[in-house]
Amino acid sequence: MDSRLRGNDVLMKFIIQNLKQKSTADAMVLVYFAKQKSASIPLWSALRAADKKQVEKVFRAKEFSGKEGEVKVLWRLSRGKIFLVGLGEKDKWNLRRLRLMARKITSVAKSEKVGSVYMAFEQLLISKIEIIKLAQTLSENAVMADYNFTYYKQNQDEEVGGIKNFILLIDVKHKVEVTAGVKVGQVIGEATNQARDLGNISGGEMTPTLLAQKAVEVGKAAGVKVEILDKKKITKLKMGAILGVANGSAEEPKFIIMEYYGADKKQAPYVFVGKGVTFDTGGLNLKPDKSMLDMHMDMLGGAAVISALSAIAKLKLPVNVIGLIPSVENMPGSAGYRPGDVLKSLSGKTIEVLNTDAEGRVILADALTYAENYKPKLIIDVATLTGACMVALGARASGLFTPDKNLQTKLESVGENSGDYVWPLPMWEEYEDEVKGTFGDVQNVGKSGGYGGAISGAMFLYQFAKKYPWAHLDIAGPMKTIEGEHLSKGASGLGVRFLVELVR
């Protein structure tokens, strides 16, 4: 992969040391729960008397009290800095707060130009969260917060910053669990950053051809088999839905197939389907200028699938997983599909096009049909599908759609455990009427005049996914990072952690 892409290699190194070892890191991290006494933490004895007085003075002056997200930076009188980090109420401590804490420490270290930090892992052992999960979550989110997209910067080294060494001081009896958790977290965190890299590359450069090339490079590095179907092969397979959307662009479509077999090949695989629209103008139903600005990220579902396959392979998980990414540009070219066109999909179903800006679901229709070839145990599609889902849920959760209530419950738990949060929206039978076509079998927008657009989009996909267990994630809302997440601006990489957690 291009050397300018930061997400390809593990740059932050985690060092696990005995709690009693002294460290020469640039910053000591002291974490406190609300109302916790300054001298009640494991690292207190490692401070010199003068530094203890500094910390106690800050507490007495009520400049720091341990509130969630609170940070106070002090200069050590001997060497380096001290970060006082607040965790909030002890009885409210959970994985959600741990994620933000890990990111906050890393982002403060970046802003303070601190290259190494150390903290006592033991301070976090106050809940029912398993040690290995604590270690994974800490390392995963620190790696994510350490990310900067410098691909287009002239002086990249000056722009990167971040932590080189994150030292965890532990009780020796926890070494095996902490080491295992940290390794898993690093792999997942870097895979997420890899997806962010792909999503942040501009649309003029990130074409279907380049996305396919990146998938091949990622697959080769992780030991995943990758096959790329070009326009000739897509035409031969009669994937009329993909061809219809792609015809408006000078860039030819690609259909990316990734296969990882970590179990007996007779075992039914998970199939992950990712939307790979590398730039979406809306086609002839052209988007407004502001709505088009982030449309180089319309392939983030595909990026999530590519990077999730990479992480799953690197973790050597004992499962079989297939990744399918239909990739196109949606452009208003003279040969492009038009409102009123009827496309014949791979399934044989015809798609009545009422709006060329509802293109993602159209290309996914062919991919969902192709997924049937693998006789999957479960199909999950991930797509930046609708602005309507963002209207419904904002930018903090993806929409979850499945007609299977039991599966819905399980996937909600996957979202909570992974940090890629999801929230269910209804898939009632009545909604199928929304996408029944007049001149074709199905139509690509609902009949309610723009209302419930996320649901009608999901219902459209369901028409092509009825033969196997299936769920759809609409990630349009959280596709970009937002204030308060302590992550650099740009693509979020959402979906990677969810898919890896699902098969783990």
Side-chain angles (χ1 to χ4, degrees), residues 288-307:
D289 57 348
K290 290 183 180 179
S291 299
M292 212 184 298
L293 185 60
D294 295 321
M295 286 301 100
H296 61 289
M297 297 186 196
D298 210 19
M299 37 61 70
L300 279 173
V305 170
I306 290 169
S307 295

Side-chain angles (χ1 to χ4, degrees), residues 267-284:
Q267 185 174 306
Y270 294 90
V271 177
F272 300 153
V273 180
K275 175 184 171 184
V277 179
T278 58
F279 195 79
D280 180 20
T281 65
L284 289 176

Side-chain angles (χ1 to χ4, degrees), residues 156-187:
Q156 289 192 33
D157 292 340
E158 296 177 9
E159 295 284 344
V160 174
I163 301 175
K164 300 303 179 191
N165 293 315
F166 200 125
I167 301 165
L168 295 177
L169 302 179
I170 64 167
D171 189 314
V172 68
K173 66 183 179 182
H174 298 141
K175 185 174 182 179
V176 173
E177 292 168 289
V178 172
T179 301
V182 163
K183 286 182 178 179
V184 171
Q186 281 183 292
V187 170

Side-chain angles (χ1 to χ4, degrees), residues 369-389:
T369 301
Y370 190 89
E372 295 173 7
N373 294 326
Y374 293 94
K375 297 180 172 55
K377 67 185 300 181
L378 174 65
I379 301 173
I380 302 282
D381 75 72
V382 185
T384 50
L385 204 76
T386 67
C389 198

Side-chain angles (χ1 to χ4, degrees), residues 352 354 361 426-438 440-461 463:
E352 187 178 347
L354 299 187
R361 67 199 69 180
M427 288 284 288
W428 303 333
E429 289 181 3
E430 292 88 339
Y431 283 113
E432 288 198 74
D433 289 337
E434 289 285 313
V435 295
K436 286 184 179 178
T438 302
D441 295 314
V442 292
Q443 62 184 50
N444 75 331
V445 292
K447 297 175 181 177
S448 296
Y451 296 106
I455 298 171
S456 58
M459 269 300 178
F460 175 94
L461 294 174
Q463 308 313 302

